[in-house]
Amino acid sequence: MNHLPQAWGRPRDDIYGAYNHSYLQTTGPKQNTTSPIVTGTSVLAVKFKDGVVIAADNLASYGSLARFTDVKRLRPFNSTTIIGVGGDVSDMQYLDRMLNALDVTENYGSPGHALNAKNLHTYLAKVMYKRRSDVNPLWNAILVAGLDGEDKPFLSSVDLLGTTFSSPTLATGYGAHLSQPLLRKLVDDESQVPQVTREAAVDAIKECMKVLFYRDARSLDKYSIAVVTKEGGVELKENEQLEGQSWAFAETIRGYGAQTS
């Protein structure tokens, strides 16, 4: 008797004869993702005079359910580059495996010539545009932060269409609406980057993460934050907690819940 799991619940071949597989449909239409299910929200980043600060919370939402609370969405690539990924988590995991393979190939095949942040951003832009052209996009918004070939701060984004954009401050998801105005108060254009200190950049990012936790229903108060500099490389902290929260403003909100007047 066949005790293999794939035979469980099927008639025995020695009594009823072999199963006729011709009744099974072995081919079907090609199926691509049209609506992500498990997603991550905003990724924020800002340049300062010596490098870049980037942050993202650790929540992956199953629809509107805050389901997975320990999903790290900041992925270091090498000692000068880190990426932050918002959007579909399964596509993020695919990108992570792809970049791990790229890192191994580069380390074995090109000794002494590491990819910098600008190189990696160009690579990801080509990947995202190719998948978009195949009508099978990776449903992600990506920030690439680090140092370019001249060891200058680099920050740029790429979305599911392969569209790229660079700025001293960037944010994906809901953060593009709530955090960008706050970050632009710190640094509005490239000419102001040399005046921004590391401490000011980190404080601004932490304040934005707090605002997002107040206002974004898909955010969490536990987050990851990384600082990329030439001297320190990628300094990543993955289990930071928001501090100094104050919900006093909620008392003045009217129009829903128990407060209707």
Side-chain angles (χ1 to χ4, degrees), residues 122-138 158-164:
T122 302
Y123 175 80
L124 287 173
K126 302 299 183 184
V127 169
M128 300 297 277
Y129 184 76
K130 195 270 182 184
R131 289 292 297 261
R132 170 252 188 173
S133 300
D134 291 341
V135 200
N136 185 23
L138 297 171
V158 58
D159 64 11
L160 78 166
L161 299 178
T163 306
T164 61

Side-chain angles (χ1 to χ4, degrees), residues 56-59 69-74 206 220-226 236-243:
D57 68 27
N58 295 347
L59 178 67
T69 59
D70 194 30
V71 176
K72 310 300 192 299
R73 298 189 291 119
L74 298 185
K206 289 183 177 180
L220 191 67
D221 59 348
K222 188 171 66 172
Y223 65 97
S224 301
I225 186 169
L236 175 61
K237 300 178 181 178
E238 292 187 321
N239 289 292
E240 296 294 286
Q241 189 77 25
L242 289 178
E243 299 176 352

Side-chain angles (χ1 to χ4, degrees), residues 45-48 50-54 78-83 116-118 143-149 151-156 227-230 233-234:
V46 59
K47 289 183 182 180
F48 63 97
D50 297 320
V52 186
V53 181
I54 185 171
N78 53 31
S79 60
T80 63
T81 307
I82 189 169
I83 68 169
N116 57 50
K118 188 174 183 180
L143 297 189
V144 181
L147 305 175
D148 62 15
D151 290 332
K152 294 181 179 179
F154 177 87
L155 177 60
S156 194
V227 180
V228 186
T229 60
K230 181 179 179 180
V234 177

